Amino acid sequence: MLDGLLVPMFTAFNSDESVAFDETASHAEWLVKAGVNGLVPFGTFGEGASLSLSEKIKLTDAVLRVSQGAKVVPSLICNSFGEIAEYLEYANATKIDGVMVMPPGYFRPGDDLSLRKFFERVTEISSKPVIAYNFPAMSLTIAPKVLSGLKIWGVKDSSGSIESAKAYLDSNIKLLIGSDVLLVDAMTWGAAGGICGIANFFPRKMQLIHDLCKIGKIDEAKS
């Protein structure tokens, strides 16, 4: 299961803009020790669109070494399907728990049929659970009907709209909310958890909010 409080962890860089692998792994280890349920390397918080395929592979290996049982769900933000396919083929042989995939967003607007075919191809290649990444500000809007019936785990919704989140849940699509301020509301409506950027700074507090929601202590979570 990919539910829980997952952190779209930062990627650290050196002054020459090369990836600081050891520092990134140290941050991942600190988050794990703080008790978060999982890590999402190189998402939007982690400069995923800026990293090469080889850097993503090396970072995945580094994060897995320190994950200590926390879920590891790398994010793919790529305009090249070939790059996505190459990463998925590598990932199939690793111990990652899933993969989050944003559809290519260079050509806009897209259409629902093309998006559905995209995710069908992703699920055909990946032996790991797939989370669709809905982030309209950065890519294409993924309507619930695009995902209905596909062999995906669910969706991360970073639209910033609770109505969008509800639409996925109403379509029986598992949801991880990507807007930190909507975590409590989304879990109240049935979300499986969140992928919350502010947890990079306050992992224990965000994990506590999640845990309180999970046991129904909504007022405490809100406070």
Side-chain angles (χ1 to χ4, degrees):
M1 295 294 290
L2 301 180
D3 56 339
L5 191 283
L6 284 69
V7 186
M9 51 176 285
F10 293 138
T11 300
F13 291 86
N14 297 305
S15 58
D16 63 357
E17 298 185 4
S18 60
V19 176
F21 294 99
D22 290 343
E23 288 80 359
T24 303
S26 293
H27 180 56
E29 187 172 23
W30 177 75
L31 292 169
V32 170
K33 288 180 178 178
V36 301
N37 297 133
L39 305 169
V40 180
F42 40 89
T44 45
F45 270 81
E47 295 288 343
S50 307
L51 301 175
S52 69
L53 177 60
S54 62
E55 288 170 333
K56 291 172 185 173
I57 290 173
K58 189 172 179 179
L59 272 178
T60 303
D61 292 338
V63 172
L64 282 171
R65 284 194 293 269
V66 301
S67 60
Q68 301 177 40
K71 303 177 184 75
V72 177
V73 185
S75 178
L76 294 178
I77 304 172
C78 315
N79 277 313
S80 163
F81 188 84
E83 182 177 344
I84 292 171
E86 287 182 46
Y87 182 88
L88 292 175
E89 289 167 358
Y90 145 80
N92 286 342
T94 72
K95 293 184 178 181
I96 67 168
D97 297 273
V99 62
M100 185 167 73
V101 183
M102 180 184 288
Y106 183 78
F107 295 105
R108 302 174 74 173
D111 63 87
D112 290 344
L113 179 59
S114 296
L115 277 175
R116 187 174 179 85
K117 288 181 177 178
F118 168 79
F119 281 108
E120 285 175 344
R121 292 180 67 191
V122 168
T123 56
E124 286 170 1
I125 297 170
S126 179
S127 66
K128 307 291 183 177
V130 173
I131 299 173
Y133 189 0
N134 183 54
F135 195 177
M138 301 294 291
S139 183
L140 304 174
T141 300
I142 307 170
K145 64 181 180 180
V146 168
L147 304 177
S148 293
L150 292 184
K151 295 179 181 179
I152 62 162
W153 180 87
V155 63
K156 176 194 177 184
D157 183 26
S158 291
S159 66
S161 165
I162 193 63
E163 296 303 323
S164 173
K166 289 177 184 176
Y168 289 115
L169 294 170
D170 289 344
S171 299
N172 295 315
I173 297 170
K174 292 179 183 176
L175 172 76
L176 291 169
I177 197 71
S179 302
D180 300 10
V181 296
L182 296 180
L183 178 62
V184 175
D185 289 340
M187 290 192 68
T188 301
W189 280 90
I195 301 178
C196 300
I198 201 171
N200 278 285
F201 301 103
F202 307 110
R204 290 179 178 85
K205 288 185 178 180
M206 290 302 292
Q207 186 66 53
L208 176 60
I209 292 169
H210 166 273
D211 293 347
L212 288 169
C213 286
K214 194 170 182 180
I215 60 175
K217 295 186 176 181
I218 304 303
D219 290 338
E220 290 184 43
K222 287 182 176 180
S223 67

